Amino acid sequence: MRRRSPRRLLGVLAAAAVAFTLFGSASTAGAAGRAPAAKSATAAAVTPLSTSTPVVFVHGYTGNASNWVTAKSVFQLNGWSSSKLFAYEYNSYGNNITNAQGLATFVNNVKSQTGASKVAIVNHSMGGLVSQYYLKVLGGSSSVSHLASIAGANHGTTYAGACLIYTTCQQMYPGSSYISQISSGDETPGDTKYATWYSACDGIILPYTSTKLSGATNNNVACQTHIGYLTDTVVLGQIARFVAS
């Protein structure tokens, strides 16, 4: 039998390590803080995975579609076609009610384009406010199979005090009438499966537990920064598997 050279063997091991990072079972980073939820996602090991559902990514304050380059790559590596991955862009300095209405139109266009009855939504930061308003106030839950909120400002953040000149930041501040509207009563309406990812190392969502939603599967990530999530292939892999469940 021909022996492999040390260089070739190292290459094989490196490739295996990358594959494990992207496709391995969910990291224990979020397991410790996963609270029991009334509407938790079914374990991927029990339900066959489905990657046919279109995914709509919703960026945060001052963000744009380029924020989701890594996420789209991870979703493709987990079986999605690029034609099923979409990024919604909105005005970070306008009004989140208008932004949510725009999301409703965007989702309807995606459904029409793909022929799907529902989409999945993955949001980051202020995108959580836009998404929650769409699902709860505008009745979007009937069009959304899964909602994954990454460091979402779902109950506001005091960090928004630095930009209160803008309506979106006023709406993002804890205790605003906007937040009261999306958090009163059922925070996870409809048959949509909800999950969140939050971390004490966030630094922007203050308090960091603001991301958690009652009735969702809330994943406490050991330590990740607010922007770091956007390139965290472990967390993004968990989200892909959640959406596929």
Side-chain angles (χ1 to χ4, degrees):
M1 179 184 296
R2 186 176 64 182
R3 297 179 61 187
R4 293 182 177 179
S5 69
R7 177 174 298 176
R8 185 178 180 185
L9 181 58
L10 287 174
V12 172
L13 292 174
V18 171
F20 178 80
T21 298
L22 294 176
F23 298 105
S25 58
S27 168
T28 57
R34 190 169 300 208
K39 302 176 183 178
S40 62
T42 304
V46 176
T47 303
L49 300 183
S50 172
T51 59
S52 61
T53 302
V55 181
V56 174
F57 296 96
V58 184
H59 65 76
Y61 181 69
T62 73
N64 54 55
S66 68
N67 292 164
W68 301 109
V69 171
T70 301
K72 286 184 175 182
S73 295
V74 171
F75 270 72
Q76 286 182 259
L77 286 168
N78 277 274
W80 267 266
S81 164
S82 61
S83 63
K84 293 293 182 69
L85 303 175
F86 302 84
Y88 170 59
E89 293 190 315
Y90 59 88
N91 181 7
S92 291
Y93 311 105
N95 188 311
N96 280 322
I97 294 176
T98 302
N99 295 335
Q101 292 169 339
L103 177 59
T105 299
F106 189 86
V107 167
N108 286 338
N109 289 339
V110 168
K111 289 167 59 181
S112 177
Q113 179 178 331
T114 62
S117 60
K118 293 187 177 184
V119 306
I121 289 179
V122 178
N123 66 58
H124 177 246
S125 194
M126 193 172 75
L129 297 186
V130 176
S131 302
Q132 287 300 106
Y133 196 94
Y134 165 56
L135 267 74
K136 182 168 183 175
V137 182
L138 302 182
S141 60
S142 62
S143 292
V144 180
S145 63
H146 297 72
L147 182 136
S149 187
I150 311 171
N154 300 323
H155 294 95
T157 171
T158 57
Y159 199 87
C163 56
L164 291 178
I165 187 175
Y166 300 114
T167 299
T168 49
C169 289
Q170 295 169 17
Q171 294 168 329
M172 190 163 44
Y173 199 82
S176 71
S177 59
Y178 184 98
I179 289 175
S180 296
Q181 192 172 11
I182 64 175
S183 61
S184 63
D186 190 358
E187 294 188 342
T188 53
D191 295 327
T192 305
K193 295 180 180 180
Y194 295 79
T196 73
W197 281 259
Y198 67 103
S199 174
C201 298
D202 187 293
I204 299 296
I205 301 301
L206 305 172
Y208 71 95
T209 53
S210 171
T211 296
K212 297 168 61 177
L213 293 171
S214 177
T217 299
N218 297 299
N219 300 281
N220 188 351
V221 180
C223 191
Q224 183 53 277
T225 63
H226 192 67
I227 299 301
Y229 279 112
L230 297 176
T231 54
D232 187 331
T233 57
V234 173
V235 169
L236 293 172
Q238 291 175 4
I239 293 168
R241 288 187 289 277
F242 162 70
V243 172
S245 67

